[in-house]
Amino acid sequence: MSPIKNVAVAGATGNVGLATFNALQTAGFTVKALTRGSSASSLSADVNVNVATVDYSSIESLTEALKGQDAVVSCLGAFALACQPNLVEAASAVGVKRFIPAEFGADTLNPQVRAFPILKDKFQVQKMLAEKYEETGMTYSLLFSGLFFDWGLENGMILGVKNRKGTLYDGGSTVISTTTIASVAKGIIGCLLRPEETKNRGVYIQDAAISQNKLVELTNKVNPGAWDLKEASTIELENLAMAAFERKDPNPMSMAGSVFRMYFGGELYGQPFKKLDNDLLGIKGMADEEVEMMIRSICASDSAPDMSFN
C-alpha cells in the first residue's frame, strides 16, 4: 500500500490541475488545492474542498500550506514555472515524500530537447529535485505524456478537427506521442500509488502514437469536408525561435517554434516514446475507433473551435 495519502495540487484550477484534483479525490486521496486568491472561486464553492490560497513568490506561504502533505503535484502553467523552485524548497522543508513537477509534455531528458532554452525553468527544477533527494530524501517523478490529445484537437495545436483547419508540420507524417488530460491525471495517480517503481526517474505514458495525416484520415470519417491546411517546416520554426532568443525578444510566443520542433521533430527528439509505463500505471491507450469517438465528440460540441494555434 502506498504511504502517500495527503496530496497538494498546485495550479488546481487549470486544465490539468482541475482534472488531477478531481481524479485524486475520486481515487480516495485527501487533496488540498493550492491556488492564487483570484482563481480559488471555482473550487471553494464546494464546502468539502480544502483550498489554500498561497503566494507562490513566498516560500514561507508555501511552507505553511504544505505542512502535513505527503506529496505535491505541480500543475502550474507555462508562465508560472518560475515559481516551481519555491514549491520544491517548501516541500522539502516540511518532509514531503514525493514531488511531481509540471512536466506532462515532451521528454525533457532527451539531449536534443534539453538544448531548447525555453525549457530552462524545467531543467532548473529537475536539478533541484535531484539535490533535494540527496539532502532530505524527498523523491520525485517526471511524468512525460507528449501533447495533450483532446486539448490539442480542440485548439488546433495538433489539428483543428471541428472546422478542419490546421498546420501540417514536416508534411504531417511524423508520429507523435499524445495523451488526453484525463489520462495524464490517471498517470499522476499511478505514480503516487506506485512510488517505488516511479521513484526519481522519467515516467512515460501515451494514449496514442499517431500522425497528423492519420488524424486527417480519421476526422474525414466522422466530419467529412474540405480542409484548410497550411504547411510548415519545424527546422525553419526552430531557427526563427532561436533567432528570437538571441535577440532577446520579449514576446514569449516568439519561442513557440521550439515547441513544434520538439514535438514534431521525430525520433531525434524522442518522438514517439519508445518505452512506456502504461501497463504499470493502468493507461490502456486508444485504438483508432476510440480516437474517432473522441473526434466525433469534439466535433459535436456546442462550443466554437478554439483555434489559438492557427
Side-chain angles (χ1 to χ4, degrees), residues 155-170:
N155 66 20
M157 187 168 186
I158 300 175
L159 272 179
V161 295
K162 187 169 185 177
N163 61 358
R164 298 179 302 279
K165 183 178 180 182
T167 300
L168 296 179
Y169 298 100
D170 298 336

Side-chain angles (χ1 to χ4, degrees), residues 8-301:
V9 180
T13 57
N15 289 330
V16 178
L18 187 57
T20 299
F21 182 90
N22 290 334
L24 284 166
Q25 282 200 313
T26 300
F29 290 91
T30 301
V31 196
K32 175 183 279 191
L34 307 186
T35 71
R36 302 178 192 274
S38 60
S39 61
S41 58
S42 61
L43 290 171
S44 57
D46 186 338
V47 295
N48 296 315
V49 172
N50 184 4
V51 178
T53 301
V54 298
D55 177 0
Y56 284 109
S57 69
S58 167
I59 295 177
E60 181 180 2
S61 170
L62 293 168
T63 299
E64 184 62 31
L66 295 180
K67 287 179 179 177
Q69 300 303 302
D70 299 316
V72 173
V73 179
S74 173
C75 298
L76 295 175
F79 297 115
L81 291 182
C83 300
Q84 274 200 124
N86 288 347
L87 265 178
V88 175
E89 287 288 356
S92 64
V94 297
V96 165
K97 300 180 179 72
R98 174 61 53 94
F99 194 104
I100 300 180
E103 289 285 346
F104 322 132
D107 178 5
T108 55
L109 298 179
N110 175 281
Q112 294 298 129
V113 174
R114 293 187 74 82
F116 290 116
I118 194 174
L119 299 173
K120 62 180 177 62
D121 290 329
K122 290 190 175 185
F123 303 149
Q124 178 188 3
V125 165
Q126 290 175 5
K127 182 174 183 292
M128 285 187 67
L129 288 170
E131 292 171 348
K132 292 301 181 185
Y133 172 66
E134 295 298 328
E135 294 171 8
T136 69
M138 183 176 74
T139 62
Y140 60 90
S141 299
L142 307 176
L143 183 63
F144 304 124
S145 56
L147 283 172
F148 298 143
F149 203 3
D150 43 354
W151 181 84
L153 296 180
E154 290 166 353
N155 66 20
M157 187 168 186
I158 300 175
L159 272 179
V161 295
K162 187 169 185 177
N163 61 358
R164 298 179 302 279
K165 183 178 180 182
T167 300
L168 296 179
Y169 298 100
D170 298 336
S173 61
T174 303
V175 176
I176 62 171
S177 289
T178 58
T179 309
T180 63
I181 289 175
S183 289
V184 171
K186 189 172 184 178
I188 290 169
I189 291 173
C191 288
L192 299 177
L193 291 175
R194 295 184 173 274
E196 281 303 312
E197 296 96 322
T198 60
K199 174 182 173 181
N200 298 349
R201 71 175 180 92
V203 180
Y204 298 83
I205 61 172
Q206 70 179 29
D207 276 320
I210 197 164
S211 71
Q212 290 178 297
N213 289 338
K214 181 66 175 181
L215 285 167
V216 170
E217 176 188 324
L218 295 178
T219 302
N220 284 337
K221 293 182 178 181
V222 300
N223 186 26
W227 283 79
D228 178 9
L229 293 173
K230 299 180 289 186
E231 300 237 0
S233 161
T234 59
I235 293 177
E236 292 179 2
L237 291 174
E238 178 188 5
N239 290 339
L240 290 171
M242 295 308 292
F245 175 75
E246 291 295 333
R247 67 174 181 268
K248 296 181 172 58
D249 191 320
N251 180 5
M253 290 306 294
S254 67
M255 295 293 292
S258 297
V259 176
F260 293 108
R261 180 63 173 162
M262 73 179 71
Y263 284 111
F264 292 96
E267 292 186 5
L268 189 64
Y269 296 87
Q271 288 290 328
F273 300 149
K274 297 303 181 189
K275 185 178 180 181
L276 295 174
D277 292 288
N278 279 21
D279 291 342
L280 175 67
L281 304 185
I283 308 295
K284 71 181 187 66
M286 299 173 70
D288 285 355
E289 293 76 16
E290 293 168 295
V291 176
E292 284 183 29
M293 288 176 60
M294 180 175 66
I295 294 171
R296 188 185 301 276
S297 176
I298 292 170
C299 292
S301 170

